[in-house]
Amino acid sequence: QLQASGGGLVQAGGSLRLTCAASGPIFSSYTVGWFRQGPGKEREFVAAISWNSGDRITYSDSAKGRFTIARDNEKKMAYLQMNSLKPEDTAVYYCAADLSFSTVVSRTNGADYWGRGTLVTVSS
């Protein structure tokens, strides 16, 4: 199971760090991805990190240069550090996990495990 937290209200230009807490013995084997769904929009991919952290990391174009994904397998946590936030980043953010890195990256709703989202609101 996954649980995202850390959302809130922030002014444009501010920062937030989202946390994804996992339960279960095999978190370290899974790719973790962050997704978001803005008001009236479809869910979209934000970032993904492979099970061994330094192997593969990828970001959406909108996240590149502003967001950083990381994980701590010992703590069964994944993180999304979001800097230079913009009003268009307002969304419910979800973390997801799957054994396949490509599934997380290329199939928006394809991951096996999803957490409840956390709302990020960026005011202008």
Side-chain angles (χ1 to χ4, degrees):
Q1 291 183 341
L2 303 172
Q3 177 65 57
S5 62
L9 174 64
V10 63
Q11 288 188 334
S15 299
L16 281 175
R17 188 176 83 152
L18 305 184
T19 297
C20 178
S23 59
I26 55 176
F27 171 78
S28 60
S29 301
Y30 280 69
T31 288
V32 175
W34 285 96
F35 297 79
R36 68 186 184 185
Q37 187 166 12
K41 299 180 180 179
E42 295 186 351
R43 185 178 294 176
E44 63 177 356
F45 169 79
V46 176
I49 184 167
S50 61
W51 69 274
N52 57 349
S53 298
D55 184 20
R56 285 176 290 181
I57 293 176
T58 192
Y59 298 94
S60 67
D61 287 344
S62 61
K64 206 171 295 183
R66 299 187 300 127
F67 295 2
T68 303
I69 190 171
R71 67 188 294 164
D72 185 331
N73 286 340
E74 287 191 9
K75 295 181 179 178
K76 295 184 180 179
M77 297 280 199
Y79 308 96
L80 185 69
Q81 177 66 43
M82 305 187 296
N83 299 328
S84 302
L85 283 162
K86 305 174 182 179
E88 51 262 45
D89 294 318
T90 294
V92 177
Y93 284 71
Y94 301 87
C95 59
D98 195 274
L99 285 173
S100 169
F101 183 85
S102 61
T103 293
V104 172
V105 173
S106 62
R107 296 177 56 197
T108 304
N109 297 305
D112 282 339
Y113 300 98
W114 289 84
R116 294 170 63 181
T118 185
L119 176 62
V120 172
T121 303
V122 184
S123 63
S124 57

